[in-house]
Amino acid sequence: MNATTNRLSGIAASPGIAIAKAYRLRQDRFVPSADKAPDPGAEKERLDAAVAAAKTELEAIRAMTEAKMGAAKAEIFEAHLLLLDDPDLIDGILERIDNDGATAEYALHETANGFAELLLAMDNELLRARAADVRDVAGRIMSRLRGLDYAAVSAISEPCVLIAEDLTPSDTAQLNADYVLGFVTEIGSRTSHSAIMARSLEIPAIVGAGAAAGGIETGATVIMDAVEGTVIVGPTEDELAAYRGRKADYDARQAELRKLLNEPSVSKDGHRVELAANIGSVEDLQKVLANGAEGVGLFRTEFLYMGRGALPTEEEQFQVYKHVLERMDGKPVVIRTLDIGGDKELPYMKLPAESNPFLGLRAVRLCLDRPDLFRTQLRALLRASVHGQLKIMFPMIAVASELRAAKRLLEEEKAKLNAEGRAVAEGIEVGIMIEVPAAALAADTLAKEADFFSIGTNDLIQYTMAADRMNENVAYLYQPCHPSILRLIRMVIKAAEREGKWVGMCGEMAGDRTAIPILLGLGLHEFSMSASSILPARALIKALSREEWAAHAEAIVNMDSQETIQAFVHQHTRSDNP
């Protein structure tokens, strides 16, 4: 890259501004030769030693990640450890050594590449994502075989902006925020492991900056604006001065936001909404409370079932739910029942393989298919209900009969607990996620039987647009502010209001600065988002008139494209932009 200023654009995955020298993380492109090994037995011993060393390293990283970010974020390393015992991988390497006389390095390279390519060819996005895990684990073993250190990010000891083609989960987990002021990757999306971990660590991140980012060399001065998604390489003195000013303003703005910590979420014209947080584990509660959330709008309970060898017991679940309700000290907590299935692996459940798991036996469908599993969770939730303001939510409801069946099981377990003399709170609200277009279209019927709705836009958008949100080839169709999506949201809110029910949103759209004014105007009651988004959202809402945006919303839903809508919102919020 030459000495002149270069501007790159990417996806702002974790907000912030950083100015520092670049540190280029070189991914090892080592390709071993196909030379025969003189002693297969010795090669297998070398492999065993390398795998053992990799296990030790991963155990340490897993423990460190759990301490820094909580058990849910550490689950990825449980999966990596399982890969080191996976017969499809390890036995495949051993067979190449035995049958082909290959060196341990060549056998590992060929087997891991084949395994990764097989996963990448799958229709299941979760399985495709595991290809990166296979390569991460294989790279760690390869480094041990070659006597090299792996994941050099842990050795960074000077302030920098990290530049990489991509970051593996183990790379990201080892980032030291004292030195890595931000990172830029050539590939990736907002939902990639590295992006999710960056938000947890509150490190600025820009992903998907393209091949041009590959030309950024160690030592180059870099400005990264992870608010706008802009990277400037080799900035001029004027640009440096301007961005130092922007960074100072951004930091001051963050400090100003802290003043809203205990303020209500009220629009300029006095309309109050609730800003809640999405959590995936009990460890997330610290940031929920630190960012002034008015409740938990979505507690994903899947972490209780993952990274273990058997289903969690009723008592284990009860203790977790009780802890969350008590920590929230009377604030509402919406706990979603198990949302798992063909697209999320639980090896011990031996779920059937499905050609299209996102449309298969998952979430409430799985729970109704396996009622014993469901009843255990419902009992734990009901027992915990006396320790706070619990609201129970069923995911993936498509038709009213599913809601009725789930409520029937809930009532049966409540009756059993009452008969046992166990306390259960009265008046527990029972709601559903609206994430299937059929549910949105039939919201008027469902509103008669549900106490509340929470719109899960991540799935609702991809199902409505028939576009996998993790597939970069059709990512352009993941459009939260497309008129079709907004019309569905309006339909859901109006149907609920006619029945006197409230509507929340727990998808990423709830924290989107462009979407918030529209959602406020459409009458959304509760916005649930990542904890770090709550204070910026509160500040934005305080600057908006709900009455004005209600009028705007009627025009917006009749516009012809997301681009038109985004331009309209930008134009009408510039003067209000807090």
Side-chain angles (χ1 to χ4, degrees):
M1 181 158 296
N2 58 40
T4 60
T5 297
N6 286 272
R7 285 178 175 264
L8 312 176
S9 295
I11 300 165
S14 181
I17 296 174
I19 304 171
K21 297 292 186 183
Y23 178 92
R24 178 79 207 181
L25 182 65
R26 294 289 176 193
Q27 269 82 14
D28 191 354
R29 300 299 184 191
F30 173 70
V31 178
S33 71
D35 295 341
K36 300 297 182 184
D39 184 353
E43 295 303 304
K44 288 193 283 188
E45 287 179 8
R46 291 178 62 233
L47 178 68
D48 288 344
V51 169
K55 282 183 180 178
T56 301
E57 290 174 356
L58 282 170
E59 285 285 7
I61 295 170
R62 187 204 60 75
M64 179 190 68
T65 305
E66 185 168 352
K68 285 170 63 178
M69 290 183 276
K73 300 296 187 299
E75 284 169 6
I76 182 62
F77 301 109
E78 297 286 357
H80 284 201
L81 286 162
L82 287 171
L83 272 173
L84 290 172
D85 289 320
D86 190 324
D88 287 336
L89 178 63
I90 303 302
D91 288 357
I93 300 169
L94 293 171
E95 285 176 13
R96 286 182 184 271
I97 293 173
D98 273 333
N99 299 338
D100 302 339
T103 63
E105 288 88 345
Y106 187 74
L108 169 64
H109 179 268
E110 293 297 299
T111 305
N113 270 4
F115 199 11
E117 291 299 327
L118 183 65
L119 290 168
L120 286 170
M122 298 285 188
D123 288 334
N124 185 326
E125 178 56 35
L126 186 72
L127 292 177
R128 291 201 300 273
R130 287 198 69 202
D133 298 335
V134 170
R135 287 180 168 143
D136 191 1
V137 169
R140 186 172 298 280
I141 299 170
M142 186 69 79
S143 293
R144 289 293 128 211
L145 285 171
R146 299 175 63 207
L148 302 174
D149 289 330
Y150 188 65
V153 292
S154 60
I156 294 172
S157 57
E158 294 183 359
C160 70
V161 169
L162 185 63
I163 312 294
E165 179 184 0
D166 195 12
L167 290 177
T168 66
S170 58
D171 288 335
T172 316
Q174 295 178 84
L175 294 179
N176 184 335
D178 291 335
Y179 298 122
V180 179
L181 306 184
F183 68 77
V184 179
T185 63
E186 296 175 42
I187 62 176
S189 68
R190 273 190 57 84
T191 54
S192 63
H193 284 308
S194 57
I196 292 167
M197 286 190 166
R199 290 193 289 274
S200 296
L201 291 166
E202 297 184 354
I203 293 176
I206 294 174
V207 300
I216 304 174
E217 297 293 345
T218 296
T221 300
V222 171
I223 296 170
M224 62 172 295
D225 181 347
V227 178
E228 299 294 334
T230 302
V231 182
I232 303 176
V233 187
T236 65
E237 286 302 321
D238 287 346
E239 287 172 326
L240 281 170
Y243 270 92
R244 287 183 183 122
R246 285 195 195 185
K247 178 169 170 50
D249 290 344
Y250 179 84
D251 292 343
R253 172 72 184 142
Q254 297 306 109
E256 193 68 21
L257 287 174
R258 304 302 299 170
K259 297 178 182 178
L260 300 177
L261 195 62
N262 299 310
E263 294 289 315
S265 304
V266 183
S267 69
K268 187 166 65 174
D269 55 346
H271 179 77
R272 183 160 186 171
V273 295
E274 183 177 295
L275 295 187
N278 298 334
I279 67 172
S281 72
V282 293
E283 289 83 2
D284 293 338
L285 283 174
Q286 182 178 347
K287 289 187 176 176
V288 170
L289 297 169
N291 283 278
E294 295 165 289
V296 170
L298 170 63
F299 179 16
R300 305 177 183 93
T301 57
E302 290 76 60
F303 86 99
L304 285 164
Y305 295 77
M306 301 176 74
R308 55 187 295 146
L311 291 167
T313 65
E314 177 186 324
E315 187 62 25
E316 286 176 307
Q317 295 190 60
F318 163 71
Q319 292 296 339
V320 170
Y321 305 147
K322 174 176 176 284
H323 175 78
V324 172
L325 287 163
E326 288 179 340
R327 284 287 304 277
M328 291 306 294
D329 194 24
K331 292 179 179 178
V333 177
V334 179
I335 300 184
R336 181 177 73 185
T337 58
L338 182 62
D339 184 1
I340 209 154
D343 65 324
K344 297 175 187 172
E345 293 182 279
L346 289 183
Y348 57 84
M349 285 189 65
K350 296 180 169 50
L351 296 172
E354 296 180 293
S355 59
N356 197 337
F358 284 98
L359 304 181
L361 187 66
R362 59 172 291 202
V364 76
R365 303 169 183 181
L366 173 66
C367 289
L368 293 175
D369 185 66
R370 303 197 180 186
D372 290 346
L373 175 155
F374 197 25
R375 288 178 185 276
T376 299
Q377 183 173 38
L378 295 177
R379 281 179 61 90
L381 287 166
L382 289 166
R383 287 174 55 197
S385 65
V386 296
H387 295 280
Q389 190 183 158
L390 170 68
K391 301 176 191 291
I392 297 173
M393 180 164 67
F394 301 129
M396 199 72 183
I397 294 289
V399 293
S401 60
E402 292 172 325
L403 173 57
R404 293 175 192 139
K407 288 175 67 176
R408 184 171 61 251
L409 291 178
L410 182 67
E411 288 302 315
E412 288 175 4
E413 293 310 314
K414 181 179 179 180
K416 290 177 186 177
L417 288 168
N418 287 334
E420 295 169 13
R422 292 179 181 266
V424 175
E426 293 298 323
I428 301 171
E429 290 189 9
V430 179
I432 65 171
M433 284 188 76
I434 300 288
E435 50 193 333
V436 179
L441 293 167
D444 54 345
T445 301
L446 291 167
K448 298 179 188 301
E449 306 197 39
D451 295 322
F452 66 91
F453 293 149
S454 186
I455 304 172
T457 53
N458 298 357
D459 272 342
L460 181 63
I461 294 166
Q462 73 171 350
Y463 289 145
T464 302
M465 304 299 282
D468 180 354
R469 62 193 172 97
M470 301 291 285
N471 186 333
E472 293 182 3
N473 295 317
V474 293
Y476 72 95
L477 287 170
Y478 188 78
Q479 298 185 22
C481 291
H482 190 277
S484 63
I485 303 300
L486 297 178
R487 289 172 190 173
L488 287 176
I489 291 169
R490 180 180 62 172
M491 183 183 299
V492 170
I493 293 172
K494 286 186 178 299
E497 286 179 341
R498 285 194 292 270
E499 299 296 328
K501 308 295 174 63
W502 63 271
V503 180
M505 179 178 289
C506 55
E508 286 206 14
M509 185 177 176
D512 185 289
R513 289 183 64 84
T514 301
I516 286 172
I518 305 171
L519 297 173
L520 179 69
L522 289 173
L524 191 71
H525 306 96
E526 180 231 49
F527 299 67
S528 191
M529 60 196 71
S530 64
S532 61
S533 298
I534 288 170
L535 293 179
R538 183 168 294 154
L540 176 59
I541 287 169
K542 281 181 173 292
L544 301 173
S545 164
R546 197 266 182 176
E547 185 177 342
E548 288 178 11
W549 279 95
H552 289 328
E554 289 305 309
I556 285 170
V557 296
N558 292 310
M559 291 181 183
D560 63 354
S561 69
Q562 173 169 271
E563 291 76 17
T564 304
I565 291 169
Q566 288 172 327
F568 180 92
V569 173
H570 180 68
Q571 179 184 351
H572 286 79
T573 55
R574 275 182 300 187
S575 60
D576 295 330
N577 192 17

